[in-house]
Amino acid sequence: MSTYAKKQGFGATLWDFMTTVDHKKIAILYLISGGLFFILGGLEAMFIRIQLAVPDNNFMSAGTFNEMITMHGTTMIFLAAMPILLGIMNAVMPLQIGARDVAFPFLNSLGFWLFFFGGVVLNLSWFMGGAPDAGWTSYASLSIHSQGHGVDFYVLGLQISGFGTLIAGINFLVTIINMRTPGMTYMRMPMFTWTTFVVSALILFAFPPLTVGLTLMLFDRMFGANFFDAAAGGNTIIWEHLFWIFGHPEVYILILPAFGIFSEILATFSRKRLFGYSSMVFATVLIGFLGFMVWAHHMFTVGLGPIANAIFAVATMAIAVPTGIKIFNWIFTMWGGSVRFTVPMLYAVSFIPSFTMGGVTGIMLAAAPADYQYHDSYFVVAHFHYVIVGGVVLGILAGITYYWPKIFGTMLNETLGKFTFWFFLIGFHLTFFIQHFLGLWGMPRRVFTYLPGQGWETSNLVSTAGAIFMAVGVIILLINIIITSVKNVRVGNDPWEDGRTLEWSIPSPPPFYNFKQLPLARGLDAYWIEKMEGKKEMTPAEPLGDIHMPNGSIIPICITIGLFVASFGALYNMDADKTWTVPVIIIGLLITFGSMLIRSIKDDHGFHIHKEDLMDDKDKEVKA
């Protein structure tokens, strides 16, 4: 971004990013906004740990604590982890398959702005009468009785944001199916592209149940529809089913891209092909499939009965098998390789034991009788943080460090990167390992304080100290980013020197058209094959010709602003004293549908880059 700022000035750069449909700039937007939400979610986590550091603490009230844990979970899952991963997918996947852009550049922009404004709606709740307070799962028995508008912000914010994610999933699916470069068969696709592919399919099937659930809750709260009110013939368990039919695949939507990132890193820095590539592809697809078969393991204690519990327990244990295949393949990739311990490789190596620990406690929770004891204790908190932080967040930190030079054209400082790594890893294990024992000693989840003399004081203090370590690690990362951006030392196309896939064959950052000529993929690790034959560039699959590119557009942000405005009308519509709500809803929807109408009737054929402009001096001399 710093190079753009130098060329254009701030105002022009801002307009450029607001109107862009270039997947690489949209990736930067995802990374920046996801990073901001990550810091926000991290601050909320710190406040939670400060409150629980000592018994009988009054750092915050019970009500504020409920808002804090709701917003921490919701922000981290929906507004931080997912967007950052979508940003890395946007930046890398089209380059890995040799495409010039995603299939629907306009929709790519719309997807981002929907996510962003949905997140803004959710977080404005802090300043407009109180944040949602029914937990990040927002169980209906709590949320339909929640006072104020907090839960309404939750419903509308996630609904808008969810549409953006759904659009991104469809876009990536079509891109991977239709836009692979010649020779890039499915079984030659890099592992990160495979995980993006499976995740996009999961998004396609997992988000509609959430959309339905949120719509029913909106009707319950706005119009008294009673879908979830047991006293009026509704059923609160329906919400749990709808939420977890989305919520469990969501875990794999988060972890699979991290698996893909680690697969790329381990192969690169072991200077070896990924061990068992075809079994890794099979395991990825199987995890995606089984991810839809296990949702009720979150509901063992609601009274589904022994048969349902047994079926879901077995399915949950079965999903450990493809994950185990992956872990062994990663270890065998390093075995006998020429391993270099760069910062991304440190994350990858530490991920394997950290994530395995989370998996083992997951198998413990899969045993339904044992789950009756573990359920709603801190053991569960420890388990899912080992999976999400030990898997997803380590994957995000590894991916950002690994792909930073490709996205921005500069290298993050390795020494500062190692400081971030050690602070974060030590802090992570300090924070969450002890929580397994807190759970086994009887500490329940979601309590805002506890009495002295129960044997939990020291463990909670250790946990809070670990959270401070993690925070220091993140602060060092931010310092690293600032220093790198200010120095702005440019790097070549293959800064790690061992790049294996197509994205490392083009300049860093890539030109806006990605590839002058589409490359020919002659096998798995296509760029590595060319390098082994002594070539510095990919063999082209086509002659040099004109390239068609899409124009930027302000319409995606206009469509989203309309929904943003309408959501505030919907929010306050249930208040009898607010007469302005219906006009606001109408104005918002007019902005949205008007923008869509303009888009549909406007002929925008994009523009062409002529082949003469693509030729470098050497090509021109040859032609002359």
Side-chain angles (χ1 to χ4, degrees), residues 466-501:
I468 293 166
F469 267 70
M470 289 164 81
V472 170
V474 174
I475 290 164
I476 294 170
L477 175 65
L478 293 174
I479 292 167
N480 195 352
I481 288 169
I482 291 164
I483 290 171
T484 304
S485 303
V486 170
K487 284 187 174 174
N488 200 25
V489 179
R490 313 312 289 172
V491 294
N493 63 315
D494 187 12
W496 299 109
E497 295 171 0
D498 293 315
R500 308 180 72 83
T501 43

Side-chain angles (χ1 to χ4, degrees), residues 61-278:
S61 68
T64 307
F65 184 85
N66 286 346
E67 294 177 353
M68 206 60 77
I69 59 166
T70 303
M71 288 299 285
H72 166 65
T74 309
T75 301
M76 282 304 200
I77 298 285
F78 292 101
L79 307 179
M82 276 192 75
I84 293 171
L85 289 168
L86 285 171
I88 297 172
M89 288 180 202
N90 250 308
V92 175
M93 179 274 291
L95 304 179
Q96 285 197 332
I97 61 171
R100 291 214 168 93
D101 207 326
V102 292
F104 307 116
F106 178 90
L107 282 184
N108 201 16
S109 173
L110 178 62
F112 167 74
W113 290 112
L114 283 167
F115 140 70
F116 180 72
F117 278 100
V120 171
V121 167
L122 188 59
N123 278 282
L124 281 174
S125 60
W126 285 114
F127 309 102
M128 301 180 75
D133 57 0
W136 83 275
T137 56
S138 206
Y139 278 5
S141 45
L142 294 171
S143 54
I144 58 173
H145 298 297
S146 173
Q147 299 298 311
H149 288 295
V151 171
D152 306 317
F153 278 102
Y154 173 96
V155 170
L156 288 160
L158 289 192
Q159 198 73 293
I160 295 169
S161 201
F163 284 136
T165 308
L166 191 58
I167 285 170
I170 294 166
N171 205 348
F172 289 158
L173 269 180
V174 177
T175 304
I176 294 170
I177 292 167
N178 284 345
M179 297 185 68
R180 286 166 288 128
T181 197
M184 181 67 70
T185 61
Y186 281 108
M187 293 310 285
R188 287 178 180 175
M189 293 196 315
M191 206 60 229
F192 181 68
T193 299
W194 259 112
T195 55
T196 302
F197 186 54
V198 173
V199 161
S200 302
L202 289 179
I203 287 171
L204 188 63
F205 291 107
F207 267 78
L210 179 68
T211 304
V212 170
L214 289 169
T215 304
L216 298 182
M217 186 168 286
L218 189 72
F219 274 66
D220 265 21
R221 285 187 61 88
M222 277 181 63
F223 309 118
N226 298 327
F227 289 108
F228 302 125
D229 190 348
N235 187 342
T236 60
I237 302 298
I238 293 171
W239 167 266
E240 294 188 34
H241 279 295
L242 287 169
F243 184 86
W244 288 117
I245 289 169
F246 148 80
H248 202 83
E250 167 69 9
V251 176
Y252 297 104
I253 289 168
L254 294 176
I255 198 63
L256 283 174
F259 285 177
I261 289 165
F262 287 127
S263 297
E264 302 294 330
I265 289 169
L266 287 162
T268 298
F269 297 115
S270 301
R271 291 174 63 88
K272 263 180 74 182
R273 244 184 84 162
L274 186 66
F275 185 91
Y277 170 82
S278 51

